[in-house]
Amino acid sequence: MIELIPAIDLIEGKCVRLTKGDYDSKKIYNEDPVAQAKEFEALGFKRLHIVDLDGAKSKHIVNDAVLRAVTSATNLTVDFGGGIKTEADIRKAFDAGAAMVTVGSVAVTQPELFLSWLDTFGAERIILGADVRNGKVSINGWKEDSAEDLLPFLRTYVEHGVRNVLCTEISKDGTLAGPAISLYERIMSEYPQMHLIASGGVSSTADIVALDGKGIPAVVFGKAYYEGRIDLDELRRKALLP
């Protein structure tokens, strides 16, 4: 059964969504992220994905106070990403209550540092962020495309013990155009042991059901929920939500 992970993206302490990572496309959905997190918990969700968009832009964690407020007010298992560039950032996120952190850019630009974090904190607490655009892994809040091709990039880290991977197809993110199912199928065929978290483009309950049908372990969604496109009753009928 696919794991359902709603998302809260933060700018200036507010819940927002972008389209294709474009900060100029910001739309505010809730000015109170704690209230939003409580809503998700009340609906039966167990996980929450928080992205510090200010942090991604600033290259250091910015919204750790919001993270702490969310983890203090709920029992959600929170993974946190955005702006994690140093071990101090990781410790700040964990100190604020994150159960896991998502690290992307450092894995591309400083692989030895990333592997040291994997050893220090454990593979169960580190999620490899592999955000892709035109087949290349993107870095620094999606502002730059690296020279890394996705599948060889993943292979290197799977061989070093990475199990949790969050893969966002940037061209799909925030578009409600449907997820990149063929991409996720290709990843899972190469690395069947991976706990792959699909992200980007989810537009409806049917998209989630389709991902589940393909054996994708987990999915992150945001705009589809905020825009009223997710039928929670249908997810319960499919036994995908308690």
Side-chain angles (χ1 to χ4, degrees):
M1 183 176 71
I2 195 167
E3 184 178 26
L4 306 181
I5 310 175
I8 290 177
D9 292 359
L10 297 170
I11 291 181
E12 296 177 351
K14 300 172 183 178
C15 302
V16 307
R17 294 301 290 174
L18 308 181
T19 300
K20 300 182 182 180
D22 180 4
Y23 282 71
D24 291 334
S25 71
K26 177 183 72 176
K27 182 175 180 179
I28 298 171
Y29 284 98
N30 194 327
E31 297 200 359
D32 186 347
V34 175
Q36 185 62 65
K38 286 181 175 180
E39 177 180 309
F40 285 136
E41 185 174 39
L43 291 169
F45 295 104
K46 305 298 183 186
R47 278 279 300 271
L48 179 63
H49 176 61
I50 295 182
V51 181
D52 184 352
L53 291 174
D54 293 315
K57 202 171 187 179
S58 303
K59 300 186 180 181
H60 61 83
I61 289 178
V62 173
N63 284 292
D64 52 301
V66 177
L67 170 62
R68 187 182 301 277
V70 167
T71 58
S72 297
T74 72
N75 291 311
L76 292 165
T77 299
V78 178
D79 67 81
F80 181 86
I84 295 177
K85 303 296 185 185
T86 65
E87 186 169 316
D89 286 320
I90 294 180
R91 294 191 183 280
K92 181 180 285 189
F94 287 151
D95 287 346
M100 293 164 278
V101 294
T102 301
V103 180
S105 298
V106 168
V108 176
T109 60
Q110 301 178 75
E112 290 184 4
L113 180 59
F114 178 82
L115 291 173
S116 75
W117 293 348
L118 202 64
D119 289 338
T120 298
F121 298 103
E124 72 282 358
R125 302 195 77 187
I126 302 290
I127 300 171
L128 173 62
D131 302 329
V132 62
R133 178 166 45 209
N134 300 321
K136 301 292 187 181
V137 179
S138 187
I139 59 175
N140 294 328
W142 302 351
K143 298 299 182 188
E144 303 172 45
D145 292 336
S146 74
E148 296 280 355
D149 290 315
L150 177 63
L151 291 178
F153 172 76
L154 293 177
R155 182 178 303 114
T156 298
Y157 286 115
V158 168
E159 290 173 353
H160 281 89
V162 164
R163 180 170 177 267
N164 299 296
V165 175
L166 172 69
C167 183
T168 302
E169 169 52 74
I170 295 169
S171 68
K172 298 275 191 177
D173 192 68
T175 65
L176 300 173
I181 292 178
S182 61
L183 170 65
Y184 304 130
E185 283 188 289
R186 193 158 70 248
I187 293 170
M188 290 304 299
S189 68
E190 290 276 343
Y191 313 110
Q193 74 277 32
M194 180 184 294
H195 187 77
L196 175 65
I197 306 167
S199 173
V202 171
S203 67
S204 64
T205 312
D207 286 338
I208 294 173
V209 172
L211 288 165
D212 181 56
K214 296 296 185 180
I216 307 304
V219 59
V220 165
F221 53 90
K223 185 177 283 189
Y225 173 83
Y226 296 119
E227 297 279 351
R229 291 168 171 255
I230 302 295
D231 185 337
L232 300 176
D233 290 335
E234 178 66 13
L235 291 177
R236 291 189 181 97
R237 283 193 293 271
K238 298 285 187 181
L240 298 179
L241 186 67

